[in-house]
Amino acid sequence: MQEYINKIICGNCAEVMAKMPDNCVDLVVTSPPYADNRKNTYGGVSPDRYVEWFLPVSGEILRILKNTGTFILNIKEKVVGGERSCYVLELILEMRKQGWLWTEEFIWHKKNCFPGKWSNRFRDSWERCLQFNKNKSFAMYQDAVKVPIGSWAKSRLKNLSDTDLIRDETKNNSGFGKKVANWLNKETVYPTNVLYLPTECSNKNHSAAFPEELPSWFIKLFTRENETVLDPFVGSGTSAVAAKKLGRNYIGVDIIREYCDLSESNLKKSEHEREQCHQYGLTTQEAN
Amino acid sequence: MQEYINKIICGNCAEVMAKMPDNCVDLVVTSPPYADNRKNTYGGVSPDRYVEWFLPVSGEILRILKNTGTFILNIKEKVVGGERSCYVLELILEMRKQGWLWTEEFIWHKKNCFPGKWSNRFRDSWERCLQFNKNKSFAMYQDAVKVPIGSWAKSRLKNLSDTDLIRDETKNNSGFGKKVANWLNKETVYPTNVLYLPTECSNKNHSAAFPEELPSWFIKLFTRENETVLDPFVGSGTSAVAAKKLGRNYIGVDIIREYCDLSESNLKKSEHEREQCHQYGLTTQEAN
DNA sequence: GTTCCGCATGAATCGATAG
DNA sequence: ACTATCGATTCATGCGGAA
């Protein structure tokens, strides 16, 4: 097992995982290639074969995950022929037959989604983050993701655009005012199952980079320091970088050599930034 | 048909709809009783029988809906035994077999969701609003739900740069001047598929009232004035009130006499408010 | 050092045109 | 007839350079 810790491994993730022992990983967080996308990079899994393609992967994850571990799957179905594809729904049902518990569906509500205009559809600004478990009693450290109420209110007010103001006029004033009053007494609150994050804008040289905050949030929620986080479709390495920054062990797998190299490079870059922070006497926490 | 227009009908909605003619309704928007919920009011449909219970209803809706019409289903699966139930996923798959197109899944992101704290779960702050159609080409009036543009636009459009000119020229040889004019005058943008609305605070004497803005938004998006909106589980009458306020015809059905009375009462109340507004020389639009 | 402003870009989708 | 490619459309964010 030790040979996988804090490594990026190039290979087919189902085959790589097959060599790993049972019950050895605390969290799997990944964003696999979506159906029929990225034809030039991952080979383009078609929607009607997606489930059969993914099940061997989820089967290996089920085996190597600890009994108290969690599997977070970030995914969204494409539009095909004017209709939402059903492969994600079918995948959930099949994974349950495989032995998984479908514990929860978190929503990533994207602040800045892709632009576009169509006659029969609005812009898609959300994705699914499906939570699967082996067992009803799994590890969850809710206090690690509590939101300081002060900064919440501050950023909320700072970002209050004209849009927000006008949208807010419609709501019931008395009820909301009462709620705010309640919140003022607390220093931190628990979040909900909706994550409201911007998409990553900077160039990652990878076609599907999710924001670091997304894996980071789940890593804090479902693991403690020195535990192990696996991403079988590590891509540009975002989740590995997040795990490392948070003092967790990472294991990254990708079938594309180029992406493995990119992950290594991003890991080095983040390590370099950490060192610079130490030079200036900052903690990495403050720097982020 | 005329006997149903602007009426609240007490009865089993599948039976009531069975008497209605084909292709007579422009929009169906409803929030049916969720599985195993509201045991004391709707008799408590259990999760494992939910699909078989709902399919006759969706079958009748498929028949009475116009070919260009839309069916919006507001629903969220319950947690049963620590796991999300799968009846909504199964329902979508079965409704497709029935002939429906699953066009889109809108998310209602609740601003102020129900409070609570559990050891293995955060508060649930979103619900599905599933869009189904009979036909790929359905009626959609996107301009009716445009929202104010973000405040970023003010500074962004203050002075257009050279690159803006170049970018647009490369994509479109002919009509650049027209484009600039469009952007400069633009004060509203199209929304996304996430609705960020507060939950209803006021007491509706109904166990599952959704905010009026939710049906209101879909009514504006999918119908024009004098068209017909049906809610087969009308409950406290929210969607009927919304339709009436927007100058649409409503048809409300509920199996519970008490809820039919409540709907009638809420419709009267909204009519009364409208009259009061006229007395003060306000339009109903301004009052809302 | 701080704020401001310009700019590229991001898991997109549809309809028309071409092969 | 059916698939593949291409252009047009569009919004908000974080970054880097400048004031």
Side-chain angles (χ1 to χ4, degrees):
Chain A
M1 179 57 192
Q2 202 55 42
E3 71 253 40
Y4 298 103
I5 296 293
N6 293 328
K7 295 281 185 342
I8 300 294
I9 300 141
C10 188
N12 176 302
C13 64
E15 292 168 13
V16 171
M17 288 189 287
K19 294 176 192 158
M20 295 170 64
D22 295 358
N23 310 311
C24 67
V25 167
D26 296 280
L27 171 69
V28 174
V29 55
T30 196
S31 187
Y34 295 2
D36 215 7
N37 252 343
R38 295 196 278 172
K39 269 185 187 158
N40 302 327
T41 56
Y42 276 99
V45 187
S46 77
D48 42 316
R49 288 191 193 167
Y50 198 86
V51 175
E52 98 186 70
W53 170 77
F54 196 80
L55 281 178
V57 177
S58 59
E60 285 300 328
I61 294 172
L62 184 62
R63 189 182 60 76
I64 67 171
L65 192 68
K66 285 186 189 165
N67 283 325
T68 55
T70 292
F71 173 26
I72 296 292
L73 179 61
N74 169 226
I75 198 165
K76 180 68 190 263
E77 52 269 63
K78 275 194 55 130
V79 173
V80 177
E83 206 184 358
R84 285 277 166 204
S85 290
C86 288
Y87 57 86
V88 176
L89 311 185
E90 286 158 5
L91 180 61
I92 295 171
L93 296 174
E94 288 300 319
M95 282 179 63
R96 288 182 82 239
K97 289 182 194 162
Q98 204 172 35
W100 286 103
L101 297 176
W102 179 37
T103 307
E104 180 58 303
E105 180 168 350
F106 293 87
I107 294 293
W108 170 24
H109 179 182
K110 303 182 198 178
K111 277 184 179 166
N112 54 336
C113 65
F114 205 87
K117 162 102 178 71
W118 308 277
S119 60
N120 55 355
R121 185 173 297 284
F122 285 137
R123 290 171 296 144
D124 191 5
S125 72
W126 65 278
E127 294 192 14
R128 305 178 196 278
C129 293
L130 304 167
Q131 178 192 347
F132 295 96
N133 291 95
K134 292 172 81 162
N135 205 289
K136 274 176 65 172
S137 48
F138 51 87
M140 192 181 198
Y141 310 100
Q142 300 191 348
D143 289 343
V145 294
K146 283 184 89 169
V147 185
I149 183 61
S151 76
W152 173 84
K154 199 175 152 191
S155 68
R156 180 76 187 114
L157 293 173
K158 197 177 75 178
N159 291 335
L160 212 58
S161 63
D162 297 343
T163 315
D164 282 327
L165 292 171
I166 288 166
R167 279 176 187 157
D168 282 355
E169 276 174 14
T170 54
K171 92 187 150 211
N172 185 323
N173 285 328
S174 59
F176 190 75
K178 207 161 97 185
K179 278 242 152 46
V180 167
N182 284 339
W183 285 44
L184 287 176
N185 294 327
K186 300 179 185 176
E187 291 193 352
T188 58
V189 295
Y190 293 102
T192 71
N193 59 357
V194 177
L195 289 117
Y196 191 37
L197 304 175
T199 55
E200 203 73 37
C201 275
S202 55
N203 192 355
K204 290 271 189 197
N205 290 325
H206 179 256
S207 49
F210 51 16
E212 190 178 313
E213 222 182 317
L214 195 66
S216 192
W217 194 82
F218 289 111
I219 290 167
K220 283 184 280 188
L221 180 57
F222 291 116
T223 67
R224 289 173 297 194
E225 290 202 1
N226 298 315
E227 294 188 334
T228 301
V229 179
L230 166 70
D231 186 344
F233 302 97
V234 76
S236 61
T238 310
S239 52
V241 168
K244 189 177 181 182
K245 278 188 186 170
L246 293 166
R248 274 74 168 172
N249 296 316
Y250 64 84
I251 304 173
V253 185
D254 209 291
I255 200 165
I256 311 287
R257 163 64 59 192
E258 195 180 307
Y259 287 157
C260 291
D261 295 345
L262 182 59
S263 290
E264 298 277 18
S265 149
N266 283 329
L267 281 159
K268 280 210 187 68
K269 203 161 72 182
S270 107
E271 179 64 26
H272 183 67
E273 281 164 10
R274 177 197 290 259
E275 279 162 10
Q276 283 201 319
C277 291
H278 282 305
Q279 283 182 4
Y280 289 97
L282 296 170
T283 68
T284 46
Q285 205 69 290
E286 286 168 335
N288 288 323
Chain B
M1 181 58 191
Q2 202 56 41
E3 71 254 39
Y4 298 101
I5 295 293
N6 293 329
K7 294 282 185 343
I8 300 296
I9 299 142
C10 187
N12 176 301
C13 65
E15 292 169 12
V16 171
M17 287 190 288
K19 295 176 191 159
M20 294 170 64
D22 295 358
N23 310 313
C24 66
V25 167
D26 297 279
L27 171 68
V28 174
V29 56
T30 196
S31 188
Y34 297 177
D36 216 6
N37 251 342
R38 298 197 274 173
K39 268 187 186 156
N40 302 325
T41 57
Y42 276 99
V45 187
S46 77
D48 43 314
R49 287 192 192 165
Y50 197 88
V51 175
E52 102 187 65
W53 169 77
F54 195 83
L55 282 177
V57 178
S58 60
E60 284 300 326
I61 294 171
L62 184 62
R63 188 183 58 78
I64 68 172
L65 192 68
K66 286 185 189 165
N67 283 324
T68 56
T70 293
F71 173 25
I72 296 292
L73 179 60
N74 168 227
I75 199 165
K76 181 68 191 266
E77 51 271 70
K78 273 195 59 130
V79 174
V80 176
E83 203 185 2
R84 286 279 167 202
S85 290
C86 287
Y87 55 86
V88 176
L89 312 185
E90 285 158 4
L91 180 62
I92 294 171
L93 296 175
E94 289 300 318
M95 282 179 63
R96 288 183 80 240
K97 289 182 194 162
Q98 203 172 37
W100 287 104
L101 298 176
W102 179 38
T103 308
E104 180 59 302
E105 180 170 351
F106 293 87
I107 293 294
W108 169 24
H109 178 181
K110 303 179 195 179
K111 274 183 181 166
N112 50 340
C113 68
F114 206 79
K117 163 102 177 70
W118 300 270
S119 62
N120 56 356
R121 184 172 297 285
F122 286 136
R123 289 171 298 146
D124 191 3
S125 71
W126 65 278
E127 294 191 14
R128 305 177 196 280
C129 293
L130 303 167
Q131 178 192 347
F132 294 98
N133 290 96
K134 292 174 79 163
N135 205 289
K136 272 178 67 171
S137 48
F138 51 86
M140 195 179 196
Y141 310 101
Q142 301 189 344
D143 288 343
V145 294
K146 287 183 86 167
V147 296
I149 199 167
S151 52
W152 59 269
K154 228 184 298 172
S155 56
R156 175 71 180 86
L157 296 178
K158 216 180 329 187
N159 35 6
L160 288 172
S161 65
D162 295 343
T163 27
D164 279 331
L165 307 175
I166 293 162
R167 259 181 83 182
D168 279 341
E169 274 173 7
T170 53
K171 296 208 170 178
N172 188 346
N173 292 328
S174 55
F176 176 71
K178 205 162 68 178
K179 265 193 208 305
V180 168
N182 281 344
W183 272 97
L184 288 176
N185 295 327
K186 187 182 282 191
E187 285 171 7
T188 57
V189 298
Y190 294 99
T192 71
N193 59 357
V194 176
L195 288 115
Y196 192 36
L197 303 176
T199 53
E200 199 69 43
C201 290
S202 58
N203 189 357
K204 289 272 191 195
N205 292 324
H206 180 255
S207 47
F210 49 17
E212 189 177 314
E213 221 181 317
L214 194 67
S216 195
W217 194 81
F218 289 112
I219 290 167
K220 283 185 281 190
L221 180 57
F222 291 117
T223 68
R224 289 173 298 194
E225 290 202 1
N226 299 315
E227 294 187 334
T228 300
V229 178
L230 167 68
D231 186 345
F233 303 96
V234 76
S236 60
T238 310
S239 53
V241 168
K244 189 178 179 180
K245 278 188 186 170
L246 293 166
R248 275 72 167 173
N249 297 315
Y250 64 84
I251 303 174
V253 184
D254 210 290
I255 201 166
I256 311 285
R257 163 64 57 191
E258 194 181 309
Y259 287 156
C260 292
D261 295 344
L262 181 59
S263 290
E264 297 279 17
S265 151
N266 283 328
L267 282 159
K268 281 211 184 71
K269 203 161 72 182
S270 108
E271 181 62 27
H272 183 67
E273 280 163 9
R274 176 195 291 257
E275 279 164 9
Q276 281 200 321
C277 292
H278 281 306
Q279 282 182 4
Y280 288 97
L282 298 169
T283 69
T284 45
Q285 204 71 290
E286 287 167 333
N288 289 324

